[in-house]
Amino acid sequence: MPFLGQDWRSPGWSWIKTEDGWKRFEYFNHKLGDNINELTLLDNDKENVYVGDVCERHGYCTLGEAFNRLDFSSAIQDVRRFNYVVKLLQLIAKSQLTSLSGAAQKNYFNVLEKIVRKVLDDHQNPRLIKALLNDLSSTLCILMREVGKSVLIGNINIWVCRLETILNWQQQLNNLQIPKQVSNGMTLSDLPLHMQNNILYKFSDACDIINLGQTTPTLHMLSEDWQLWKKLCQFHFAEKQFCRHLILSEKGHVDWKLMFFTLQKYYPQKEQYGDTLQFCRHCNILFWNDSGHPCTANDPDSCLTPVSPQHFIDLFKF
């Protein structure tokens, strides 16, 4: 489902996304036979939205209901949304796991299984998933030790089975061997030096910069550039934070690389995602930015607020 929210335009309309924006799909009983193909397309195409069934039944929505309705299972297949979903699952694992209903917990672990399988198949983003599984296994161990003190939905044997599955996934990821790619074409090392440097400047993750710097001597030299780490510090942290944790080298210069790893211990880093959920203040609807939604505001863009994974969880705290 592309979006979630209360809809006051009952009894419910069908909407179709066109090049000119969202348009309401209207049909009448005497034309039903002519429109049967369009109705089938409406049900199968997730870019087309049926609005009549998105209202919360009791005027509110829980985190579990939102997680079930927004179709995160399909979102992980989109490289732009993958990191967002992983971060959201990690935050839920840390603090919100027991707030999920039984159905939401089942959906949570189904999505998690698909993520693990995807990483094992395409060998991308194993570090993110290892961190997610570490947080999740730690939470489950604490919950299972404190049965009776905290709320656990479901039989304890189910949680034991889930923990065993997570430990098995962790072992598979630890044993993951990424095959060396053999290519007769141009590689990153064949690019001019300034182009390799420009690529490094596009990274926002310090671990990615360090890992890339370990591949070749040239990239190692570029990854140690103080200007690169200065820019990374300026991207993630405010100037006032620099002054509180100023670190100088033996020569009296600012050690920007060490500064970055010191600052990240005290302050959160800026989050960056290819695609995020958006909240429309006019319609009270959550939706993926690329999917859009049928908004009736005069200026729909002015009503949109990007929703970070932490903000998504905060929306459902009562």
Side-chain angles (χ1 to χ4, degrees):
M1 183 177 292
F3 69 84
L4 166 71
Q6 285 185 319
D7 190 272
W8 39 265
R9 294 162 294 197
S10 294
W13 295 338
S14 301
W15 295 80
I16 296 179
K17 189 175 184 180
T18 67
E19 295 180 355
D20 299 326
W22 289 91
K23 292 185 177 181
R24 185 155 63 96
F25 174 63
E26 298 181 296
Y27 60 91
F28 303 93
N29 292 336
H30 65 280
K31 294 183 178 180
L32 187 58
D34 298 333
N35 293 331
I36 199 70
N37 292 332
E38 294 181 69
L39 289 173
T40 304
L41 175 64
L42 186 66
D43 291 336
N44 294 336
D45 190 348
K46 291 186 178 181
E47 291 297 321
N48 299 332
V49 183
Y50 182 72
V51 184
D53 194 32
V54 300
C55 299
E56 293 88 338
R57 297 178 185 176
H58 305 292
Y60 66 90
C61 183
T62 65
L63 176 63
E65 289 173 330
F67 189 84
N68 289 338
R69 296 184 188 185
L70 284 169
D71 196 15
F72 290 109
S73 181
S74 299
I76 63 174
Q77 303 302 326
D78 190 331
V79 66
R80 297 166 301 175
R81 301 175 182 176
F82 183 85
N83 288 6
Y84 186 99
V85 177
V86 171
K87 182 64 176 179
L88 178 59
L89 263 62
Q90 188 173 18
L91 292 175
I92 292 176
K94 289 181 177 180
S95 62
Q96 301 296 320
L97 196 59
T98 56
S99 69
L100 300 181
S101 65
Q105 288 177 9
K106 184 177 180 180
N107 187 27
Y108 178 95
F109 283 96
N110 287 339
V111 173
L112 181 60
E113 181 179 8
K114 291 182 179 180
I115 290 176
V116 174
R117 297 304 172 197
K118 183 177 185 300
V119 173
L120 291 174
D121 290 340
D122 60 22
H123 304 148
Q124 296 182 13
N125 300 304
R127 178 168 54 87
L128 293 177
I129 310 309
K130 287 180 180 179
L132 167 59
L133 294 180
N134 286 337
D135 290 335
L136 183 56
S137 61
S138 299
T139 300
L140 287 183
C141 287
I142 295 173
L143 291 175
M144 291 171 62
R145 285 199 304 265
E146 299 179 357
V147 173
K149 297 180 181 180
S150 51
V151 180
L152 278 175
I153 298 178
N155 190 285
I156 185 62
N157 294 325
I158 295 178
W159 290 93
V160 172
C161 181
R162 286 170 175 171
L163 180 58
E164 291 176 351
T165 301
I166 293 170
L167 296 176
N168 183 38
W169 288 339
Q170 288 178 310
Q171 185 176 2
Q172 292 182 53
L173 289 172
N174 290 333
N175 297 332
L176 180 64
Q177 298 292 330
I178 300 178
K180 184 177 180 180
Q181 295 184 356
V182 179
S183 176
N184 297 325
M186 179 177 291
T187 64
L188 182 62
S189 301
D190 298 326
L191 296 176
L193 198 61
H194 73 278
M195 294 185 67
Q196 295 185 44
N197 193 45
N198 288 339
I199 292 175
L200 277 171
Y201 271 76
K202 299 298 182 181
F203 285 19
S204 60
D205 191 313
C207 292
D208 289 339
I209 294 176
I210 292 176
N211 291 336
L212 186 58
Q214 295 174 348
T215 56
T216 66
T218 301
L219 287 170
H220 176 73
M221 176 194 68
L222 295 175
S223 67
E224 294 294 324
D225 182 14
W226 66 270
Q227 292 182 338
L228 172 64
W229 289 98
K230 179 181 180 180
K231 183 176 180 181
L232 196 64
C233 286
Q234 292 173 337
F235 175 77
H236 285 287
F237 309 108
E239 186 175 352
K240 293 181 179 179
Q241 297 168 344
F242 298 163
C243 301
R244 298 173 184 173
H245 304 278
L246 196 62
I247 299 176
L248 301 179
S249 64
E250 296 179 355
K251 298 181 180 180
H253 302 297
V254 177
D255 190 334
W256 289 102
K257 183 178 180 179
L258 186 57
M259 276 268 293
F260 177 85
F261 289 104
T262 301
L263 289 169
Q264 73 171 2
K265 296 178 182 178
Y266 298 97
Y267 309 105
Q269 298 181 45
K270 183 183 296 185
E271 297 180 0
Q272 191 176 37
Y273 304 101
D275 189 18
T276 64
L277 288 173
Q278 300 281 330
F279 178 70
C280 178
R281 298 186 300 275
H282 178 76
C283 305
N284 291 330
I285 283 178
L286 277 172
F287 63 96
W288 286 106
N289 188 37
D290 280 357
S291 298
H293 80 288
C295 184
T296 59
N298 293 330
D299 186 8
D301 292 339
S302 65
C303 302
L304 302 183
T305 301
V307 179
S308 68
Q310 182 60 58
H311 187 200
F312 178 86
I313 292 177
D314 293 340
L315 285 174
F316 302 97
K317 289 183 178 179
F318 300 106

